[in-house]
Amino acid sequence: MNGKRVKKKSFRKQKPGTISRLQVVSRPGCPTRGLVLAPGFAAPVALGRGGIRHDKREGDGATPAGTWHPLELRWRADHGRRPASGLPLRRTRPDDLWCDAPAHGRYNRPVRAPFGPSHEEMWRPDRLYDLVLVLDHNQRPRRAQRGSAVFVHLAREGFEPTAGCIAFRRADLMRLLPRIGPRTALVVG
């Protein structure tokens, strides 16, 4: 050494049993339905009404192709116990919203009610957002019109298409959550 201190980069290690990569593919002939695949795991999912697209646009209903990472897990405490997860957890509150107004400074960010610009309600009566994985899609850098509120959440009966998210059966998502960490890559397409 030349007398200078060398700062080593720290890398967060994955917990044993954590999945490093989840692959999301659409089913042949049915672009709004897909499969999530990982070692020892496969589950059906609903995809966006626009299928999987590489050129995601706000309001197109497409699930964005790419590699995304989960940032946090939100859950409705009044609809179930705290889920097991290696992700930061946040309880969803009745005033939680998500800004989907491209011209607003809080675009693709959480906001609180009351909020006048266009937004997604996180406290939903249909239970789709009882469990929500917030993904890093269009987070850094955020670009207007490139899509907002792209989450992993619970599916409707019959796996009806989403507005661009990836939706699981509750049992499948609950089985997967303990094996997902911040470094898990969700590869779509």
Side-chain angles (χ1 to χ4, degrees):
M1 293 246 311
N2 59 5
K4 294 182 181 178
R5 293 180 149 237
V6 177
K7 188 173 182 179
K8 292 183 180 180
K9 291 184 180 180
S10 66
F11 292 97
R12 286 187 285 173
K13 290 186 177 184
Q14 290 271 88
K15 289 184 181 178
T18 302
I19 296 171
S20 61
R21 176 186 164 107
L22 291 167
Q23 181 73 46
V24 180
V25 295
S26 61
R27 290 189 175 197
C30 190
T32 63
R33 292 203 182 178
L35 289 172
V36 171
L37 306 167
F41 182 87
V45 291
L47 301 172
R49 67 181 180 276
I52 295 174
R53 287 191 51 182
H54 289 275
D55 189 24
K56 171 74 180 156
R57 295 287 182 190
E58 186 68 41
D60 66 2
T63 300
T67 301
W68 316 116
H69 296 88
L71 299 175
E72 67 182 15
L73 173 63
R74 293 174 174 240
W75 93 100
R76 288 268 307 255
D78 62 325
H79 288 177
R81 293 182 309 166
R82 178 185 173 140
S85 177
L87 294 168
L89 292 168
R90 179 186 164 105
R91 285 184 186 195
T92 301
R93 299 183 326 190
D95 63 346
D96 284 343
L97 310 170
W98 199 274
C99 178
D100 60 11
H104 195 275
R106 298 290 300 164
Y107 177 61
N108 199 28
R109 294 282 190 264
V111 293
R112 292 259 170 79
F115 185 75
S118 180
H119 59 270
E120 180 83 17
E121 300 215 6
M122 301 301 290
W123 188 274
R124 296 174 59 128
D126 59 13
R127 301 184 75 120
L128 296 183
Y129 285 3
D130 283 5
L131 295 168
V132 174
L133 280 173
V134 176
L135 301 176
D136 64 355
H137 169 262
N138 198 23
Q139 291 281 329
R140 288 194 178 103
R142 267 181 309 154
R143 294 181 7 212
Q145 298 292 344
R146 299 307 274 179
S148 63
V150 176
F151 305 130
V152 170
H153 62 74
L154 300 178
R156 290 183 172 88
E157 286 291 319
F159 287 97
E160 291 179 33
T162 69
C165 298
I166 301 164
F168 281 78
R169 283 188 296 234
R170 177 183 279 276
D172 291 334
L173 189 53
M174 289 297 287
R175 194 166 50 125
L176 191 59
L177 284 175
R179 299 181 61 200
I180 295 176
R183 295 176 52 109
T184 299
L186 186 67
V187 181
V188 180

